[in-house]
Amino acid sequence: MILITGRSTLARELAKNLNDCIIVGKPDFDFSLKADCDRLIDNYPTPNVVINTFASIDTDEWDSLTTNYTAPVYLTYKYYNKLHQGHIINISSTSAWWSSFPDIDSKRFFYNISKYNLSEFGRQFNRKIV
């Protein structure tokens, strides 16, 4: 089973092209809440693949950082420790390549920086587990 987190356009397109997918996200799971991340892991303990597509830009800074960085990192770590042959894919953004520029809107800045950190986490976590 492929677990796709986030009810994004990307998630729906992935599900069209992949077999045996389940898409989860709001309103059933709020990824800014640790309790909902834990509940997700309890409800779907052993998927073959986890694809994290969720993101939020229209929230305050706390929710943006929590949803776009902390939650995918937490889910990656927890699923990595549970899955023996599974794959975990975190979707970042091209915004990670150019995180800041003069007069950037604060919401865009926190979205970009969270995606930059998610990309960097992926690089560093891969080094850790090799």
Side-chain angles (χ1 to χ4, degrees), residues 38-90:
D38 288 335
R39 188 166 52 86
L40 175 75
I41 295 165
D42 289 343
N43 289 356
Y44 303 98
T46 57
N48 296 318
V49 178
V50 177
I51 305 174
N52 290 315
T53 71
F54 60 88
S56 179
I57 194 169
D58 297 323
T59 60
D60 69 21
E61 296 82 6
W62 178 265
D63 285 344
S64 183
L65 291 170
T66 304
T67 301
N68 300 325
Y69 175 68
T70 304
V73 166
Y74 181 76
L75 290 172
T76 297
Y77 181 73
K78 290 296 192 175
Y79 272 119
Y80 176 79
N81 288 322
K82 290 178 74 75
L83 305 178
H84 298 288
Q85 297 295 319
H87 300 279
I88 304 165
I89 302 166
N90 288 315

Side-chain angles (χ1 to χ4, degrees), residues 55-57 64-65 68 92-96 106-116:
S56 179
I57 194 169
S64 183
L65 291 170
N68 300 325
S92 184
S93 170
T94 57
S95 297
S106 290
K107 288 184 182 192
R108 170 56 67 180
F109 173 74
F110 281 97
Y111 171 83
N112 291 1
I113 205 71
S114 64
K115 291 299 187 175
Y116 169 84

Side-chain angles (χ1 to χ4, degrees), residues 25-38:
K26 285 185 176 182
D28 303 316
F29 295 94
D30 179 350
F31 297 114
S32 69
L33 303 174
K34 181 179 182 284
D36 278 11
C37 292
D38 288 335

